[in-house]
Amino acid sequence: MRVIGCVAALGEEGVSTFAANLAFALAADGQRSVLVDWNAACPWLTEALAPHQRTGLQDLASGEASLAEAAWVDPATGLRFIGQSRGPASRRVPPGAAAARAVLARLREGHDIVVLDLPPGLLEINA
């Protein structure tokens, strides 16, 4: 298993916390791990782990930033974290299919495990 996608049906179910804990535990165990905040609508992990990081997933996907520029590295575990790019709201959209495949292929090359914090799988329906 190389890529683990963490997703819930609805938001606010603790998936981001689970994804972060899983990624940190794998890194602490010696796995070359990367955690990606793929949730553009609610980038909680970006705010929690790298609030001052300006470059992120969208910059990496568009080729505007290198992996080293887009990632924050935890000094204690070596976990690499890629958050959402900062900037105009129009920039904070998930990469398209081709760009997503390219980013994932690149991340798999340099890491044992890629953990994705994905957006909710279902839209909330207001009755």
Side-chain angles (χ1 to χ4, degrees), residues 54-65:
R54 303 310 300 165
T55 56
L57 177 61
Q58 290 81 356
D59 299 305
L60 182 63
S62 68
E64 295 175 27

Side-chain angles (χ1 to χ4, degrees), residues 31-96:
Q31 300 289 318
R32 294 175 303 147
S33 305
V34 60
L35 171 63
V36 183
D37 185 350
W38 208 284
N39 190 348
C42 185
W44 181 82
L45 283 179
T46 300
E47 295 298 327
L49 297 178
H52 302 296
Q53 183 80 14
R54 303 310 300 165
T55 56
L57 177 61
Q58 290 81 356
D59 299 305
L60 182 63
S62 68
E64 295 175 27
S66 68
L67 184 56
E69 293 169 324
W72 167 80
V73 179
D74 177 51
T77 63
L79 174 69
R80 186 173 281 173
F81 172 71
I82 300 170
Q84 289 290 306
S85 297
R86 305 298 176 118
S90 61
R91 287 269 316 167
R92 293 187 307 244
V93 296

Side-chain angles (χ1 to χ4, degrees), residues 9-25:
L10 302 173
E12 299 185 24
E13 294 182 359
V15 172
S16 296
T17 301
F18 172 78
N21 287 336
L22 176 62
F24 273 102

